[in-house]
Amino acid sequence: MNDQTAEQWLASLQTQAESMIQQSEQLQVQLAALTETASAGGVRVTVNAGGALQALEITREAMQRGPTELSATILRLGGTAQRGVARRMAQAVEPVAGAEAMQFLRSRITEAEETAATSQPAAAPEQRPAPRQAPRRGAADYDDYDDDMPQTFLR
């Protein structure tokens, strides 16, 4: 234990632990308040540190572009804001986590950015007409010899 007594070493260890706890608490407060906003074309998207949508603003002009284009814009801006908040989280965590953990985190952010850049926006769901329903038949439409059974036992 070098030139330290066991009590000194233990006291030093406890001071380090208290310092780490204080840094962790400060980091939690900082991350809880972290948000990122991306905007373009009359659309503004804000996400929190977990990537959850916190605010969405859409101007009348943006609404006139149609649902498909508006949806694509919202999704694109949501991804941009999520990547931005992830970068800011990495900057906040770096002093506490250390270089090795940050290298891993940055590799994940880079992978997510590359995936987002190469993926196409999701196609709008196909609008299918409502299924046609067979006309309803009344009790008078059935006789004792009818092969077609009614859909219900209630008449």
Side-chain angles (χ1 to χ4, degrees), residues 1 4-5 20 22 29 34-35 38 40 54 57 64 66 68 73 81 88 96 109 115 127-128 133 135-136 149:
M1 278 191 242
Q4 290 182 333
T5 65
M20 290 174 68
Q22 184 180 11
V29 168
L34 195 60
T35 62
Q54 297 297 294
E57 299 171 26
Q64 293 174 352
T68 302
T73 300
R88 291 180 53 209
V96 177
I109 292 170
T115 301
Q127 296 293 331
R128 294 183 183 172
Q133 294 183 354
R136 296 187 137 224
M149 297 298 293

Side-chain angles (χ1 to χ4, degrees), residues 31-102:
L31 293 179
L34 195 60
T35 62
E36 183 73 20
T37 300
S39 61
V43 178
R44 182 181 176 108
V45 175
T46 301
V47 298
N48 68 11
L53 184 65
Q54 297 297 294
L56 174 63
E57 299 171 26
I58 304 170
T59 64
R60 288 188 190 272
E61 293 79 19
M63 297 277 288
Q64 293 174 352
R65 286 187 268 153
T68 302
E69 187 177 337
L70 182 57
S71 175
T73 300
I74 292 169
L75 291 174
R76 180 177 49 83
L77 292 175
T80 299
Q82 287 173 340
R83 288 186 299 278
V85 79
R87 274 191 224 95
R88 291 180 53 209
M89 284 179 59
Q91 291 170 348
V93 171
E94 187 168 14
V96 177
E100 194 172 307
M102 292 313 301

